[in-house]
Amino acid sequence: MNMLDAETRAARVFSSNKGTGTGDALKLRGIQKYFKRRDGTRVPAVDGIDLCVAQGEFVVLLGPSGCGKTTLLRCIAGLESPDQGVITIHGEEHYSSADNVDSSPDRRKLGMVFQSYALWPHMKVFTNVAYPLQVKKVPRAEIRERVMNVMRTVGVEDLAEQFPGQLSGGQQQRVALARALVSSDGLLLFDEPLSNVDAKVREQLRFEIRRMQQQIGFAAIYVTHDQDEAMELADRIAVLNKGRVAQLDSPQNIYDKPADRYVAKFIGAANEVMGRIVTLGPGGSATVSTDAGPITGVLGQDDLAVGEEVSVIARPEKCRLLSATTSTGINEWAFEQATSLFVGANRRVVGRAVGWGNAQVQFSSREEQPVLGTSMRLHVPVEFARIYRK
Amino acid sequence: MKEAQRAQGQERDRGDAPAPTLRPFVNLRAFRGGWFNVISGTIGTVFAAIVVYLVVRLALRLFFNDGHFDTDVFARVLAYRDLSTILLNTVVIVTSSMILALVIGSLFAWLMERTDARIDWLAGLLPMFSMILLPIAGAIGWVFLLAPQAGFINGMLRAALGWFGIAVASGPLNIYSWPGIILLYTAYMIPFAFLMVSTGLRNSDPSMEEAARISGASLFQTLWQITIPVLRPSLGAAALYIIWFGFSFFSVPVVIGNELRVRVLAVEIVRLVTFTYPSDVAVAIGLSVFLVIALGTAWYFQGRILRANRHASIGGKGQRTATLRLGKLRVWGQTLLIVYAVLTFVLPLLALILVALNGYWTIDISWGELNVANLWMGATENRAASRSLVNSFSLAVIGATIAMLVAAIFSLYLRHAHSRWALTLDGIIKLPSALSAIVIGLGFVLAFAGPPFQLGNTYAILLLCYVVLFLPQATISADAAAAQVDKQLSEASWVSGARGGMTFLRISLPLMVPGLIAGWGLLFVWMTGELNASIMVSGTRVPVIGFQILQIFQTGGFAVLASLALILTAINVVVLSAAHVFERRIGRGSSGRNAALFRA
Ligand SMILES: Nc1ncnc2c1ncn2[C@@H]1O[C@H](COP(=O)(O)OP(=O)(O)OP(=O)(O)O)[C@@H](O)[C@H]1O
Ligand SMILES: [Mg+2]
């Protein structure tokens, strides 16, 4: 990627060059937001979130329904007022409970792509995209140039004279992105923007958002509850759990080294067995006594002690099926195959192993697969049996 | 590079280096919504304050006189001449016509919603007839038709009887009679029953009825055992509206009642304020307490019906089922519907036209000398008449516009603010529709006509009265229009850098326009037709059309009043059709686009 190119491009898109400098695009400190229930109790929707987004960084908020993703995003945009914390955008403080600062959304210079796109049906596509500049009283000639520029970048320059109702879902999505780009200073918020389009288009748009983000270099916070989407788009993923950040890390680390049991079970598929730590070994290894007998694994959390109740989690694609003759002598169980199914290009074998309940083992198509059906043994390599606090 | 960035990011996330703070100016939290929000809230507060002020002044007048506590008003009301007769008359007339209206209105609703007797073009029009033709003009139209001596229909009937050798001097029918007055009340109440029951039928699940029919119940059994119980809430709502309307209905009893010597509450109250010298506002207010009691009782029972019927679930919204085939009865059903239209609209209108064209009211119309010029002459040559026409027209245009704008601003404010304060304001602003126009009118006379405002008999007090009186209806239209506009559309504008006012002008208002125009049309027609409050508030100084028609009727200038009524009817028809066409044309465009936008 050519840095210089990206910078000039960005300068043509955003209203100031803040978005291309160094430093943080967004900084959240201890954000809390409560909602009052009917009966008067206060429920935390966002419960103390810290987060920094660097210029040009793509952060995905991932979590199950109701964990506070939308609420957090709306707090950042200013559509909702948090109850605690500090929000800094491009170095400017826009919310601070301590300083009694809470600027309105029109001052935050963000772009936001809504789930329903929220394109204005009574305006042509051009006006939709030009609107943020019109309300800022930018001179007409400049508006024309910048809008056409953005529309070209996003690939909707032919649609300028159409009304939003005449566009396909994918096209509307692009227009919404163009509008968000025009209104922002380099920070964009996305709230599940792809949940309204079908799977094919979704994949295409996902790819394009990523391409444009790298080309233009905007920072983004992107809300989704789709893991694949998060993995594909993110520089970093923040996994949310009941209004808190459970883990904030690269997609690779989130997948390979989940920070706790919640993340491990939320991301990808998992075989799990409960037990109690018996001994702690060298190099973060430990032995756990479980229903499936003793298991040797590695600690997923540093501060686990002997005697603590834990869960051992092994991902299906890290498990092995061994023939009866080969044996590693550790973490092995008799495995009785029940079915096998295809997950994408991979094959997943589901069967029963004592103590594990329904255990799953996954093979990629390139891997050499064992002859199924004969007496087999399930094997979980020590480094892939991760131990988490229950 | 990404890796490096990420590592940096992680460090920053953990560390708590103080963020450099450049504070944006003015950050009072209350002003987040910007000036527009403050202005919207203020507008809402002002109108709510007016309503509260009216009610407080009325209540104070009941119990205090010159600053002393005193129950004199009640004593005088109880000593009021013929009080018990007046109350009895009112109750008898309203109850009997309510029962008739509920039966007929429900029958119409059932015919239109569930059977093949449905007449499509009539669906929207049926409830409108009684509004388009001013009720007072309609009542007078029926006097032209059924007055014992000079009524056109009576004349024809006598001629017909004459062929059979039966000679009668007057009659045989007489509008100045108990059946006459009750049937006229009924005609104006039917729309309420029709609308409520239609809505109920549309929202209730027809499969319940179908199931009953399949299990062998007869049509009548199904109706009695299934349909009516399910519709109880709708019938209750209809009854409530009918009582609300009936107790303050003025046009029919003032036209028919005088001659028949039947006095009713609404007419007495208005008479005390406007046609008595010196006017006795205190006793009028005392009498209106009976009105409020009647309304309160109706509200109470309606509430109980609603609570008792919470389980009467409503399913299958919008699904259109196979309509019931009536066979031979179909023609009869349709005839019934047409007859209603003819009786409430076509016949009185024809009578008015005939009188206007003829130049005076007589039973011996010389058909050759009818003159179209007479149509205009009446209204244009009579100074008072033309002034009232101008007054009513301009009041309705300005009033409907103000009310609709205020309502639009306020309902957006309500949707976005969600505060307890906003909800309270909403409740207060909607209060005038729960009370009656008579009460509000009395409130205006008491609170604004005298000191400190001294607005008595001015254009301003009428305008304010109309806006306050019809704001509830306006907010209902505006709420519906605002609900059509997705909240994210205005949020998107806000995030794009537009403040409240700009968002209102460029996003919310344009998207609400189709709904607002439809609401405006209705407000216009209601305002030109408003009578009870206008009469009390404006008196003779700023005459409005309904009042003028009444006065001319009492002095016998029938042709003038007929032409006045016809001109107003024409204006109403034009305004309503224009609003309809306009709404459809813009509406189809934008709602079509909207629909496509949210189909994804
Ligand atoms: N306006 C509100 N009033 C009361 N509670 C609310 C409101 N908005 C959100 N909540 C509550 O806050 C919590 C978080 O909601 P939020 O919409 O942020 O979830 P989400 O992560 O976006 O979920 P989804 O994936 O379903 O969109 C939920 O428990 C929700 O019920
Ligand atoms: Mg959400």
Side-chain angles (χ1 to χ4, degrees):
Chain A
M1 192 177 85
N2 188 336
M3 265 323 274
L4 200 95
D5 193 29
E7 241 172 71
T8 45
R9 251 187 246 272
R12 266 190 271 148
V13 170
F14 302 127
S15 32
S16 78
N17 57 4
K18 275 182 196 156
T20 55
T22 50
D24 290 325
L26 174 75
K27 203 169 211 163
L28 306 178
R29 281 272 171 274
I31 300 298
Q32 289 183 10
K33 170 75 188 174
Y34 294 89
F35 281 114
K36 268 219 184 73
R37 284 234 190 89
R38 273 278 159 76
D39 55 18
T41 54
R42 300 196 330 151
V43 281
V46 175
D47 195 9
I49 284 188
D50 299 318
L51 182 69
C52 271
V53 180
Q55 304 289 355
E57 190 186 19
F58 205 114
V59 172
V60 172
L61 300 180
L62 179 63
S65 190
C67 68
K69 307 181 294 287
T70 299
T71 308
L72 180 60
L73 210 64
R74 290 174 59 84
C75 285
I76 297 170
L79 294 170
E80 210 87 67
S81 290
D83 295 305
Q84 274 295 323
V86 179
I87 298 175
T88 315
I89 299 170
H90 297 308
E92 241 174 80
E93 194 172 87
H94 281 275
Y95 175 84
S96 163
S97 47
D99 300 345
N100 202 23
V101 172
D102 188 4
S103 71
S104 55
D106 52 293
R107 293 226 204 81
R108 300 196 181 191
K109 299 189 189 114
L110 301 163
M112 186 158 177
V113 179
F114 291 82
Q115 186 166 7
S116 63
Y117 315 135
L119 297 178
W120 301 301
H122 61 301
M123 295 180 179
K124 290 183 175 171
V125 165
F126 180 89
T127 324
N128 261 284
V129 180
Y131 183 85
L133 300 176
Q134 290 172 349
V135 300
K136 279 172 204 142
K137 309 241 154 54
V138 173
R140 282 194 113 170
E142 192 189 332
I143 292 182
R144 175 124 217 121
E145 196 202 315
R146 277 175 60 189
V147 169
M148 289 320 285
N149 233 322
V150 173
M151 301 223 311
R152 213 167 298 131
T153 314
V154 179
V156 290
E157 68 270 36
D158 304 335
L159 304 174
E161 295 303 309
Q162 308 288 309
F163 282 99
Q166 301 161 329
L167 308 184
S168 73
Q171 289 168 330
Q172 289 179 29
Q173 223 282 322
R174 282 168 225 234
V175 175
L177 178 60
R179 183 178 67 186
L181 283 170
V182 160
S183 91
S184 94
D185 256 3
L187 174 61
L188 263 68
L189 310 177
F190 297 83
D191 190 0
E192 308 201 27
L194 300 185
S195 59
N196 278 345
V197 290
D198 62 58
K200 257 272 174 58
V201 181
R202 193 176 327 162
E203 221 151 272
Q204 160 101 24
L205 286 171
R206 207 189 278 169
F207 171 76
E208 282 189 26
I209 289 177
R210 188 63 179 149
R211 180 184 60 78
M212 270 179 266
Q213 193 259 338
Q214 286 175 341
Q215 184 185 4
I216 303 167
F218 56 84
I221 298 199
Y222 186 105
V223 163
T224 180
H225 56 236
D226 180 337
Q227 292 177 28
D228 295 339
E229 202 167 296
M231 294 286 170
E232 197 170 307
L233 286 171
D235 292 321
R236 288 191 299 158
I237 295 176
V239 181
L240 298 192
N241 179 17
K242 294 190 187 126
R244 294 168 176 274
V245 178
Q247 186 172 9
L248 173 62
D249 214 330
S250 67
Q252 187 73 44
N253 282 347
I254 295 257
Y255 193 82
D256 290 340
K257 298 175 192 154
D260 61 17
R261 180 176 171 231
Y262 169 82
V263 178
K265 292 200 70 176
F266 181 70
I267 304 283
N271 298 312
E272 185 181 34
V273 62
M274 311 302 286
R276 194 182 291 273
I277 297 184
V278 190
T279 55
L280 292 174
S285 73
T287 310
V288 181
S289 117
T290 69
D291 294 347
I295 301 178
T296 309
V298 293
L299 297 179
Q301 283 151 313
D302 303 335
D303 53 347
L304 295 171
V306 173
E308 206 159 337
E309 296 216 24
V310 290
S311 109
V312 181
I313 289 177
R315 297 219 178 275
E317 64 275 26
K318 305 292 188 190
C319 297
R320 292 276 161 276
L321 284 183
L322 310 173
S323 62
T325 50
T326 51
S327 171
T328 55
I330 191 170
N331 290 358
E332 277 186 36
W333 297 268
F335 182 79
E336 193 185 318
Q337 185 197 340
T339 84
S340 109
L341 40 101
F342 280 94
V343 183
N346 303 325
R347 183 145 68 118
R348 187 174 288 179
V349 179
V350 183
R352 298 194 63 81
V354 178
W356 286 95
N358 276 329
Q360 306 186 347
V361 183
Q362 185 165 312
F363 305 93
S364 77
S365 44
R366 276 168 295 148
E367 252 172 313
E368 199 169 312
Q369 299 179 8
V371 190
L372 297 172
T374 49
S375 65
M376 282 178 298
R377 299 176 70 74
L378 169 69
H379 170 58
V380 180
V382 171
E383 65 270 34
F384 297 128
R386 297 183 62 85
I387 303 167
Y388 292 100
R389 181 173 289 118
K390 194 176 153 189
Chain B
M1 187 200 107
K2 283 280 173 227
E3 278 300 325
Q5 208 176 48
R6 191 171 302 141
Q8 259 178 29
Q10 270 161 26
E11 249 157 57
R12 279 192 317 265
D13 286 323
R14 292 199 196 107
D16 11 2
T21 50
L22 287 169
R23 246 198 252 183
F25 36 87
V26 209
N27 267 314
L28 273 172
R29 284 196 195 185
F31 281 89
R32 284 193 84 235
W35 285 107
F36 185 73
N37 209 19
V38 175
I39 292 168
S40 320
T42 312
I43 290 176
T45 312
V46 166
F47 279 95
I50 293 176
V51 175
V52 169
Y53 175 61
L54 291 177
V55 173
V56 167
R57 282 293 299 265
L58 285 172
L60 284 180
R61 185 63 194 84
L62 279 178
F63 297 103
F64 293 93
N65 196 6
D66 291 334
H68 304 290
F69 179 78
D70 147 11
T71 51
D72 179 50
V73 173
F74 292 100
R76 281 166 61 202
V77 165
L78 291 179
Y80 192 73
R81 204 164 57 87
D82 298 335
L83 178 66
S84 49
T85 322
I86 291 169
L87 291 180
L88 189 68
N89 285 343
T90 311
V91 170
V92 167
I93 291 176
V94 171
T95 330
S96 43
S97 39
M98 174 174 80
I99 293 168
L100 280 174
L102 285 177
V103 172
I104 300 173
S106 309
L107 177 68
F108 286 179
W110 180 74
L111 284 172
M112 294 288 279
E113 288 298 322
R114 289 286 159 84
T115 73
D116 60 352
R118 178 185 172 85
I119 306 173
D120 278 324
W121 57 265
L122 203 59
L125 272 181
L126 199 125
M128 302 293 273
F129 289 133
S130 54
M131 278 170 42
I132 298 173
L133 182 60
L134 219 56
I136 192 142
I140 293 173
W142 271 101
V143 168
F144 290 161
L145 290 167
L146 281 186
Q149 306 290 341
F152 296 129
I153 291 183
N154 273 329
M156 283 186 252
L157 287 175
R158 283 200 296 269
L161 288 172
W163 291 332
F164 295 104
I166 308 168
V168 274
S170 81
L173 299 176
N174 185 0
I175 191 70
Y176 297 117
S177 63
W178 277 88
I181 200 170
I182 288 177
L183 284 175
L184 276 178
Y185 264 85
T186 308
Y188 286 98
M189 289 172 175
I190 285 175
F192 295 101
F194 174 76
L195 281 175
M196 289 293 136
V197 177
S198 294
T199 316
L201 281 173
R202 222 172 296 142
N203 290 340
S204 78
D205 191 349
S207 56
M208 281 193 277
E209 291 161 43
E210 280 161 11
R213 294 278 287 156
I214 290 166
S215 22
S218 73
L219 186 64
F220 184 73
Q221 277 173 323
T222 310
L223 197 68
W224 192 249
Q225 289 168 356
I226 310 287
T227 313
I228 290 185
V230 166
L231 287 180
R232 212 172 285 148
S234 313
L235 288 169
L240 173 66
Y241 276 111
I242 288 175
I243 289 171
W244 169 79
F245 167 83
F247 271 86
S248 43
F249 193 37
F250 178 74
S251 307
V252 164
V254 80
V255 170
I256 312 287
N258 273 355
E259 185 86 13
L260 182 61
R261 302 201 181 286
V262 169
R263 296 157 66 194
V264 300
L265 198 54
V267 178
E268 286 308 306
I269 294 174
V270 172
R271 199 178 59 79
L272 280 171
V273 176
T274 307
F275 299 105
T276 314
Y277 191 83
S279 62
D280 195 345
V281 178
V283 172
I285 294 170
L287 281 178
S288 74
V289 170
F290 291 109
L291 223 140
V292 174
I293 291 173
L295 288 175
T297 320
W299 278 110
Y300 172 75
F301 281 109
Q302 162 69 356
R304 285 195 38 174
I305 293 177
L306 279 184
R307 269 191 299 278
N309 279 272
R310 248 181 313 202
H311 62 278
S313 77
I314 286 170
K317 254 189 185 172
Q319 68 192 41
R320 188 126 191 106
T321 47
T323 48
L324 186 67
R325 294 186 182 284
L326 289 182
K328 279 183 201 151
L329 287 175
R330 175 167 182 241
V331 182
W332 289 105
Q334 292 186 329
T335 311
L336 223 55
L337 291 168
I338 299 285
V339 163
Y340 174 76
V342 169
L343 288 184
T344 47
F345 189 66
V346 180
L347 278 184
L349 194 68
L350 284 178
L352 288 168
I353 292 177
L354 209 52
V355 171
L357 291 181
N358 196 47
Y360 52 95
W361 176 24
T362 169
I363 196 160
D364 306 311
I365 299 283
S366 33
W367 295 93
E369 284 166 31
L370 296 185
N371 188 351
V372 182
N374 285 342
L375 245 182
W376 309 111
M377 282 230 303
T380 47
E381 287 190 355
N382 184 320
R383 286 258 330 268
S386 53
R387 250 181 67 212
S388 76
L389 193 61
V390 171
N391 280 344
S392 277
F393 185 79
S394 65
L395 275 169
V397 168
I398 301 171
T401 309
I402 294 178
M404 219 56 235
L405 267 180
V406 168
I409 291 173
F410 184 71
S411 60
L412 284 175
Y413 171 74
L414 188 66
R415 266 166 73 80
H416 291 279
H418 280 305
S419 62
R420 198 163 291 176
W421 177 244
L423 288 174
T424 314
L425 290 183
D426 186 48
I428 297 175
I429 284 179
K430 293 213 165 99
L431 190 65
S433 71
L435 294 168
S436 95
I438 292 200
V439 177
I440 298 301
L442 281 171
F444 267 92
V445 170
L446 187 68
F448 288 101
F453 295 101
Q454 298 289 14
L455 289 176
N457 295 328
T458 59
Y459 193 86
I461 194 175
L462 259 181
L463 189 60
L464 191 61
C465 178
Y466 281 5
V467 173
V468 169
L469 195 55
F470 290 106
L471 205 49
Q473 277 86 340
T475 42
I476 290 170
S477 305
D479 284 346
Q484 299 286 315
V485 183
D486 191 85
K487 206 170 163 179
Q488 290 191 342
L489 293 177
S490 48
E491 286 179 350
S493 162
W494 207 10
V495 174
S496 296
R499 313 224 65 187
M502 179 71 84
T503 301
F504 177 72
L505 284 179
R506 288 202 55 187
I507 308 293
S508 315
L509 192 60
L511 288 173
M512 283 167 73
V513 155
L516 294 184
I517 285 178
W520 188 91
L522 285 178
L523 284 188
F524 177 89
V525 174
W526 277 324
M527 286 183 182
T528 52
E530 212 296 321
L531 192 51
N532 347 25
S534 330
I535 287 190
M536 291 192 290
V537 171
S538 80
T540 43
R541 292 280 189 73
V542 190
V544 294
I545 203 158
F547 186 31
Q548 202 59 41
I549 288 177
L550 179 62
Q551 282 204 317
I552 300 175
F553 176 73
Q554 282 163 348
T555 53
F558 300 117
V560 176
L561 83 82
S563 75
L564 207 50
L566 289 172
I567 291 173
L568 183 64
T569 304
I571 291 177
N572 280 347
V573 168
V574 169
V575 165
L576 278 179
S577 336
H580 185 69
V581 169
F582 207 53
E583 183 205 357
R584 285 286 286 276
R585 274 195 41 205
I586 315 181
R588 194 177 313 121
S590 68
S591 70
R593 274 180 247 141
N594 261 327
L597 207 52
F598 294 114
R599 210 186 306 126

